[in-house]
Each structure stands twice: as structure tokens, then as C-alpha cells.
Amino acid sequence: MPAALGRPRRSCLAVPGSSVKMLGKAQGLPADQVFLDLEDAVAPLAKPEARKNIVAALNEGDWAGKTRVVRVNDLTTPWTYRDVIEVVEGAGENLDCIMLPKVQSAGQIEWLDLTLTQIEKTVGLPVGAIGIEAQIENAAGLVNVDAIAAASKRVETIIFGPADFMASINMRSLVVGGLIPGYPGDPYHYILMRILMAARMHDLQAIDGPFLQIRDVDAFREVAGRSAALGFDGKWVLHPGQVEAANEVYSPAQDDYDHAELILDAYDYYTSEEGGKLGAVMLGDEMIDEASRKMALVISAKGRAAGMKRTTAFTPPN
């Protein structure tokens, strides 16, 4: 199970740093993670003021129970270094991660790691406490995703950025995150699986990108359900109406969670001295063994991270 699951990220809410009103509203929404944006959601002339808004919101706001992230601008722009310095120096003790968009190489993650280390040492923050989220948004990033995932111990997530990715490969669609009429399959399947493999190779979380038709919650559920089925840990949400849907889709169904906990309890019992030291045993009509335990651990961990409570209990046979 990925170590990064210590931070639930079923719903990752985007909030423009230029909107004081939205920065305030986001604090009361049930999103697992909130990322305060300095990149695409903020106009170039508004970026300096947005940095100040974000520092104030992190220091003065109530973000209890949420992972606090700031998305800086990408390293091809003139804003990135000021974003990192001002945000971390101003609010580093109230910040969990920095998200770097449009990551194309391991060297870009190494730059951010080194810069964070220098700032932490300078202002007296614990070195290494601030994590990194890497967003993959073009062909170079996907080709190099394994090296990106391994570039720093700070990396916690690999994120799919569909809009820029679609543009970078000349994909013929204007519907971000949805299926393409006329294409007999899911055009994002390879991309999602490639990101998932790199993430799991290094015990990181994999996060799906946004669905822009923000008022169509049913379509959001359908799209989110595809990456959730693959094993993704969460998805970006752009509107409060998508938050509850994401939290539901990326949590196990209650029956699945209960069954996973039952398998863990039963396997623990039957492999014990009291249970007969059995490696494989029937649980009702199902045979369970070590592989079953590993699969159940995944579902159990997701359910526990989501705060789910079991409704069944294992009773050892007489």
C-alpha cells in the first residue's frame, strides 16, 4: 500500500489564489486536499498579489483535516522561484506540499527539492517536511515519469494534467477528461496506467486530473469511476458540487470495505496457532490466502483513510 496514503486525497480542490472569497469558502468544504493555485487560474498581472493572498490564507485560515498544497508556476516561466520563496518563507509551517506543474524531467524536481531545502534551513523549518506533487502534462513528462517519481524523497503524488497534455500531443478533442466520440476506447487509458505504474513503483499516490464540465456531476462520476477502478487515489475537483462525488467514488463501497476487513480478520485467525496455522482456507464460498490478504489490505487502507466504519465482524468457528 502506498506510504503516501497517510494523506487522503480523494478530492483535490483547486482554488485560485487571486480570489480571497474563494480562499475563504474552500476552508469549509469537505475536500481531502485543497491546492491554492498560482498557475493557470491566476492572470500574469495578478500573480504577485495572489502570493500574498495565499500566504495570508495559509497562516490565518482554518484548514483542519485538509492537506494544504500550493501550485506554483512551471519552470519555463519567470514566476516559479518567487512563488516558491515567498510562499514557503511566508507560510512554510502551514504548508504540506508544493505542486510543480508541467514537470518534464527529474532535474526539475531536483531543483525544487534543493530550493525547498535551502529555504527550510534558512527560516528554521524541518528539512524535508514539505512534500512535492509532480504534475505530468506533456509527452516529455510522461516519457520521463519513472525518473520524475524517483527524483526526490519529497515526492508524494504523480498527477495527470489532461488539458495541457491533450494540446501537447495534438489530440483532436475539446472535452477535457471525457471520451472522444468516434474513438473505440478510452484515449487516456495508457496515460493513466503509465502514471499509476510509476507512482506505485515508488509508493506514491496517483491523482487524476480535472473534468471541466463542472455542472454535470453524473458525467464526473463516470469519468472518475474509470481511474478509480484502475487504482487511482483521487481526482481534482473544480467546483464544490464535485467534492462529495469524488469522495464517494474514490472510497470503497461499504460492502467491499466490510468484506476486506473480514478477510483480514479471518486470515489472521486461520494462520495463527489457534486457527490451525493454515495458509489457505475457505471463508464462506471463497478461498482466501496470502494474495487475498494483500488485496484486502488495499481496500481496507482506502476505507480507513476515508474514515469508514465496518458494519460486520468476524466470528471464529467453535
Side-chain angles (χ1 to χ4, degrees):
M1 203 62 205
L5 275 180
R7 302 190 203 268
R9 287 183 169 96
R10 297 168 301 171
S11 51
C12 302
L13 177 64
V15 186
S18 53
S19 173
V20 174
K21 178 181 178 181
M22 295 180 74
L23 288 168
K25 183 177 181 180
Q27 297 171 39
L29 296 174
D32 286 344
Q33 171 174 301
V34 174
F35 73 88
L36 314 183
D37 197 17
L38 285 168
E39 200 213 12
D40 287 349
V42 180
L45 293 178
K47 292 184 190 294
E49 189 64 27
R51 294 183 193 125
K52 295 181 175 61
N53 294 342
I54 286 174
V55 169
L58 288 171
N59 289 336
E60 301 166 13
D62 181 3
W63 303 98
K66 295 177 175 58
T67 297
R68 303 155 298 177
V69 179
V70 172
R71 181 168 73 160
V72 299
N73 287 277
D74 79 88
L75 277 167
T76 66
T77 74
W79 304 299
T80 320
Y81 82 104
R82 292 301 322 163
D83 290 345
V84 176
I85 291 170
E86 290 189 26
V87 168
V88 179
E89 286 189 350
E93 63 184 354
N94 296 311
L95 177 67
D96 295 309
C97 295
I98 290 287
M99 184 189 302
L100 187 64
K102 300 177 179 66
V103 179
Q104 301 186 61
S105 68
Q108 293 180 333
I109 296 296
E110 292 165 356
W111 173 87
L112 181 55
D113 185 331
L114 179 58
T115 303
L116 288 172
T117 297
Q118 291 177 327
I119 298 171
E120 288 165 340
K121 288 180 177 179
T122 299
V123 301
L125 294 170
V127 174
I130 298 173
I132 293 174
E133 300 193 349
Q135 192 174 11
I136 304 301
E137 301 187 75
N138 58 31
L142 191 66
V143 169
N144 295 322
V145 69
D146 290 317
I148 289 167
S152 167
K153 292 182 179 179
R154 293 181 188 265
V155 178
E156 296 188 13
T157 71
I158 306 295
I159 305 163
F160 177 39
D164 280 285
F165 199 101
M166 291 164 67
S168 79
I169 63 171
N170 297 335
M171 186 177 283
R172 291 171 53 183
S173 176
L174 293 174
V175 180
V176 176
L179 298 182
I180 299 176
Y183 182 78
D186 183 346
Y188 309 104
H189 181 77
Y190 168 75
I191 303 167
L192 292 173
M193 285 300 292
R194 190 70 190 82
I195 287 172
L196 184 64
M197 294 304 102
R200 295 301 189 247
M201 176 68 182
H202 299 283
D203 289 339
L204 309 178
Q205 286 184 318
I207 305 299
D208 195 6
F211 181 70
L212 270 58
Q213 316 304 313
I214 60 174
R215 300 192 186 282
D216 192 341
V217 179
D218 288 340
F220 174 87
R221 288 178 183 274
E222 180 182 352
V223 170
R226 292 198 290 270
S227 63
L230 295 178
F232 270 62
D233 300 290
K235 185 173 180 66
W236 278 15
V237 293
L238 303 181
H239 186 272
Q242 295 177 331
V243 174
E244 291 285 4
N247 288 345
E248 178 184 328
V249 170
Y250 291 94
S251 297
Q254 185 66 50
D255 287 348
D256 290 340
Y257 174 65
D258 285 338
H259 189 55
E261 294 286 15
L262 192 65
I263 289 173
L264 294 176
D265 286 350
Y267 188 78
D268 184 60
Y269 171 77
Y270 284 113
T271 55
S272 69
E273 187 78 33
E274 180 184 3
K277 300 183 288 186
L278 302 174
V281 68
M282 295 300 294
L283 179 62
D285 294 330
E286 175 186 16
M287 189 199 79
I288 62 170
D289 57 12
E290 172 62 11
S292 307
R293 184 191 70 84
K294 291 175 181 175
M295 295 169 65
L297 278 174
V298 173
I299 306 301
S300 172
K302 286 181 179 288
R304 293 176 188 179
M308 297 178 70
K309 304 297 182 184
R310 60 190 299 179
T311 61
T312 60
F314 172 71
T315 301
N318 294 326

